[in-house]
Structures are given as C-alpha cells and as structure tokens.
Amino acid sequence: MAADTLLEVANLGKTFGHLTVLKNVSFKLDRGERVALIGPSGSGKSTCLRAINYLEPPTEGEISLEGQLIGRRRNGQPMTDREMAPQRAEIGMVFQHFHLWPHLSVRANVALQPRKVRGMSRDDAEMLAGDLLGKVHLAHKAEEMPQRLSGGQQQRVAIARALAQQPKLLLFDEPTSALDPELVGEVLTVIKELAAEGRAMVLVTHEIAFAREVADRIIFMDGGQIVEDGPAKAVLDRPKSPRLKQFLASLKLGGADE
Amino acid sequence: MSDALPGLIAEALLTGALVTVNVTAGALTVALAIGMALAAAAVMTNNRMLQTTIRVYVEALRNVPSLTFLFLLYFGLASLGIRLPSMLAAIVGLGLIGGAVTVDIFRSGFLSVPAGQSEAAASIGLTPFVAFRLIVFPQGLRLALPSLGNYAVALVKDTSLVAAIAAPEIMFNARQLVNETFETALIYGSAALVYLVLTGAVAQFTSLVERRLEVR
C-alpha cells in the first residue's frame, strides 16, 4: 500500500438474496483526494458508499482506512456495531435526507459527537459547534430546532455535524438530491469550500458539472460494477465505454447538465 | 337519609381515593419500568430467546382477564403458602398486566422513529446503546406518549378491580357503605364522580407532558 493511500476498497460485493447490487468493486483514495461516484440510479453507487462505513455491510471484499480493516476483526470475523463505532467515528457521512435529530437544537446536533464520542466538555463542544456552523454559514441558526430550517440549511447543518467528528474521510450520499433546485447551490458551495481545504471525500452525485469541478477523479458505475475510473475531466470529456457515453448523453438530453 | 351520611360518604370515598391513587401510581411505575425495559431490549437485540420470552409474557397477560390474574396472585399464591398483602398484590398484579400493555406501546413508539435517525447516530460513532438512549428513546417516548396517557386513564379505572382482593380503594369502601346504608344510587354516583376527577387529572397531566415534550 502506498504511503499516501487513505482508503482502499477491494473486491467489494453485495448481494440481497439472488440480487447482486455490487460486484468486484475496487478503488483507492489518496489523502486529500476527492472522488465522485456517478452512474444511473440502481447502479450501486449509493450502496457502495454506504458499504464504506458498513451502514450497508458488504457480503464480499474488504475496506480499509489507513491500512486498518473496517468492520472486521483481525481474524476476519465481522465486528458488531458496538465494535465498529470507533471506526465509524473516523468517517463523516452526509445523507441525502439529512437525518438531523429533530429533538435537538442545531447546535446540539453538531456538538453531540464531540461530547459523546470524543469526550469533549459541553462548553468546548458547543463552541466547536458554533465555529463549524459559521463555516457552513449558519452561525445565526445555532439555537433553532432543525425543522425550522430550509432543506439547504438542514443539509449544511448535517455537513457541520460530520465535520465535528474531525473525520479522516467524508462521504456524501447524493447530498443535493432531496433539495429544491434553488437550494442546491448553497450546499454545493459549502462542499466546494471543503474540497478547497484538501479534505478527502467520496461523493455520490447526480450533479455532473459539480462532480467535474470538485472531484479529482470520477468513477462511473453501472450494474453494480465500476465501468470507468479516471481523472474527472478525462472521464467526462472522453468517455471510453458505450455505457458512459450513453449515460452522459441521456443527461444532456434531459437538460440536467450544462 | 341521616345527617351523618354526606360525611360518611366523603370519608369513605376520599380514603378510598387515596388508596386508588397509590395503587395507580405504584402499578403505573411498575408497568412503565417493565414496558420500557423490555421494549428497549426487544428493539436493540435480535436475540430470539428474549423476543420469544417477551411475546409469551405479553400474550399471556393480555389474554387472561385481569381479575383472574389478581385472584391467582392473591388467593392462588396464598393457598400455596405465599401470602401477599392485598396492596402489594394489587400493585404487582396491575403492574405486571400493565407491563404487557406498555411494552407494545413503547415498542411501536421506538420503531416509529425513522431508520435514518439511528443511521446518522451510528455514522458519527455512537454505540448502539448510546444511540438508543440519546436519539431513539427521546423521540420514541414522545411518539408513545398519547397511548401511554390512554393506558394511564384505563389503569385508574382498572384499579376498581382490586376491591375484589380486599384493597380498600374507592369501590371497596363504596360497597361497604352501601351494605351499611343502602344508599346505593347516591354512593355509587359519588364514586363515579370521584373517578371522573381522577381520570380527568391524569388526562390533563399527560397532555401537559405532551406539550412540554413537543418539538418546537
């Protein structure tokens, strides 16, 4: 393993009964690298992302973060959720539907992880939460309850919540798909700012223009497999496979991009 | 009707009401503790043994009439040499019966919390137990509250059953006074009023708690 490899996904497979949703998925991510997973719906890209922190345990293959096997003990046995908790703490996740905790204030949503997982004092955690909310341009909403916020604001709180983990890796699962079109921009702006800081991230997205701008690399998936993997511009501008050509053409026809 | 009668009725029903309140509070505590603990365990583990045990407990106590169960506890155990005081038998009996009701109320409350809530909790590195305590429990409790309130009102009414095992609550005292004075309508009518006041208070209290816990 190269010294700067952060994440290694090796021969990942996932089946639900007879249905194969992931097959032989392998890729690496360097420190500071940003990869966008694109592909038609049902291509397995979200499942792949959710397998990285074992929210969707794979049925085959291995995932390692900084060389440490995720979700499995040294003897290869699967870990319990309890054993996995410290590993998941290293990986921030932003969900399509935000999943903020409605019974906690915006500030408490962000401060929960530092307090309860990393043992920070309440004051320190809330101060950190305030800083992070400032970073996503929501310092003024800290004392609100999440459901008083717009979708775009909620998603930015969710990003601050993930940042509060001080994660080694950020996962974004279609972070703008549940948003009204006019709210997409504010979330993408925040993600771009994080990308500019050189944070490692894996993004599942339908926003091809955004993927081109923010990702170093693009992985195109179809039918649960990786079809193309390469530098963002090369993959998008000079697609090799008929399937990717067809996928990009369908997006243009639909007017979804450019 | 003698001049002493209103005083006698008031005394009988109010001392009875105190016992009713005690039995309700005791049984409610037992029922909530059992229901909460078993529902939390059922939601957090996949252990078949535990799931089956809970199911058997729930089905058994829900499908046996409460009076039968109370008789079994009070007279049945006594015949085997275990004499429970009637107040204790009343609280434990109604509490165990209530636990079988509240375990399903709590469980459906916990299960109504969207899966994404637990996923987000797991993703930040909370252990399943802490995630349950901090994320699922408070939300599930809020969802369960209206049903728990209905249960508490039903429990106040069900305490009248423990008159049959000699716990000196409202109906026990009322019946004794009826036997002495034959003022049947007046006494039972007054007893009904006392129950209305008690159930009304419980309903008020639960809606107060509901409003306090509302998501703003």
Side-chain angles (χ1 to χ4, degrees):
Chain A
M1 189 183 79
D4 54 356
T5 298
L6 176 69
L7 173 75
E8 182 165 359
V9 175
N11 302 314
L12 213 59
K14 171 96 185 166
T15 52
F16 292 106
H18 292 296
L19 187 70
T20 302
V21 289
L22 284 181
K23 202 174 165 189
N24 249 322
V25 171
S26 301
F27 64 92
K28 286 183 187 178
L29 188 78
D30 286 343
R31 261 171 233 291
E33 198 181 13
R34 294 169 297 280
V35 169
L37 293 179
I38 63 169
S41 44
S43 60
K45 55 195 192 305
S46 276
T47 310
C48 177
L49 189 82
R50 290 164 54 81
I52 292 175
N53 63 357
Y54 265 67
L55 284 183
E56 201 81 76
T59 39
E60 268 172 67
E62 288 180 353
I63 290 164
S64 44
L65 188 72
E66 293 185 324
Q68 204 196 5
L69 208 55
I70 302 233
R72 289 185 187 281
R73 300 181 194 141
R74 253 181 230 129
N75 62 10
Q77 291 296 309
M79 286 184 181
T80 62
D81 280 313
R82 188 190 161 80
E83 291 171 290
M84 242 181 281
Q87 297 188 322
R88 286 184 173 139
E90 308 270 12
I91 302 172
M93 175 120 183
V94 175
F95 298 87
Q96 182 178 357
H97 296 285
F98 335 132
H99 299 329
L100 294 181
W101 301 305
H103 60 301
L104 300 177
S105 73
V106 163
R107 187 190 295 280
N109 263 272
V110 180
L112 189 82
Q113 203 275 354
R115 279 186 68 193
K116 300 295 178 179
V117 178
R118 295 196 280 128
M120 209 181 260
S121 75
R122 189 197 182 102
D123 286 353
D124 288 350
E126 297 205 330
M127 195 136 71
L128 172 69
D131 291 347
L132 291 169
L133 287 168
K135 203 177 166 86
V136 298
H137 317 296
L138 285 172
H140 58 295
K141 297 287 187 188
E143 314 315 325
E144 295 274 13
M145 296 308 276
Q147 46 289 332
R148 304 274 305 250
L149 272 51
S150 72
Q153 291 171 331
Q154 290 191 41
Q155 191 61 299
R156 285 187 280 149
V157 174
I159 291 171
R161 178 175 69 181
L163 291 176
Q165 295 171 236
Q166 299 189 324
K168 293 179 173 145
L169 172 67
L170 279 170
L171 307 177
F172 292 87
D173 188 6
E174 307 198 20
T176 59
S177 299
L179 297 177
D180 290 336
E182 73 270 22
L183 302 177
V184 169
E186 61 189 69
V187 172
L188 295 186
T189 302
V190 166
I191 298 174
K192 278 181 217 166
E193 287 164 3
L194 297 177
E197 293 176 2
R199 287 174 184 275
M201 44 177 94
V202 181
L203 288 144
V204 170
T205 183
H206 289 299
E207 307 271 341
I208 300 298
F210 170 67
R212 179 201 299 271
E213 188 178 348
V214 84
D216 306 300
R217 242 169 76 211
I218 286 187
I219 293 177
F220 171 65
M221 290 184 68
D222 193 20
Q225 287 176 296
I226 292 182
V227 180
E228 290 198 35
D229 178 353
K233 286 180 181 56
V235 168
L236 292 177
D237 295 339
R238 293 183 298 281
K240 294 190 200 101
S241 61
R243 277 190 286 179
L244 178 53
K245 282 177 191 161
Q246 194 187 1
F247 175 68
L248 292 174
S250 72
L251 290 178
K252 275 175 194 149
L253 276 180
D257 191 42
E258 289 170 321
Chain B
M1 178 169 127
S2 83
D3 292 344
L5 191 61
L8 282 176
I9 294 176
E11 196 199 333
L13 295 187
L14 290 181
T15 53
L18 203 64
V19 173
T20 295
V21 168
N22 283 336
V23 172
T24 303
L28 190 62
T29 308
V30 173
L32 291 180
I34 292 176
M36 206 183 279
L38 292 187
V43 170
M44 271 189 289
T45 83
N46 298 319
N47 188 319
R48 298 292 289 177
M49 265 292 278
L50 184 69
Q51 304 279 10
T52 309
T53 310
I54 293 172
R55 218 55 254 162
V56 168
Y57 162 67
V58 168
E59 294 304 326
L61 284 195
R62 276 220 304 226
N63 294 305
V64 170
S66 303
L67 195 59
T68 309
F69 185 66
L70 288 170
F71 276 16
L72 189 63
L73 212 58
Y74 187 63
F75 300 116
L77 284 184
S79 75
L80 298 175
I82 305 166
R83 285 204 67 94
L84 298 181
S86 66
M87 280 296 279
L88 182 66
I91 288 173
V92 171
L94 290 178
L96 285 172
I97 295 165
V101 177
T102 58
V103 68
D104 276 345
I105 295 176
F106 277 113
R107 195 202 334 235
S108 71
F110 297 151
L111 291 178
S112 304
V113 177
Q117 292 289 308
S118 312
E119 279 195 353
S123 80
I124 66 164
L126 294 181
T127 59
F129 180 75
V130 177
F132 179 82
R133 186 167 61 83
L134 297 177
I135 304 301
V136 176
F137 179 78
Q139 296 186 59
L141 183 63
R142 187 175 295 158
L143 293 166
L145 216 54
S147 302
L148 290 176
N150 291 340
Y151 162 71
V153 168
L155 176 63
V156 173
K157 297 191 288 177
D158 281 352
T159 55
S160 62
L161 288 172
V162 305
I165 57 169
E169 47 68 75
I170 297 172
M171 287 308 292
F172 184 88
N173 288 0
R175 209 160 86 195
Q176 238 173 17
L177 200 58
V178 166
N179 288 341
E180 289 161 14
T181 64
F182 304 105
E183 292 286 352
T184 314
L186 180 63
I187 293 170
Y188 287 144
S190 310
L193 277 179
V194 175
Y195 276 114
L196 277 176
V197 170
L198 290 179
T199 52
V202 170
Q204 274 301 312
F205 178 73
T206 46
S207 69
L208 190 84
V209 176
E210 271 175 58
R211 251 170 306 166
R212 274 296 299 272
L213 289 180
E214 211 166 286
V215 177
R216 279 146 293 160

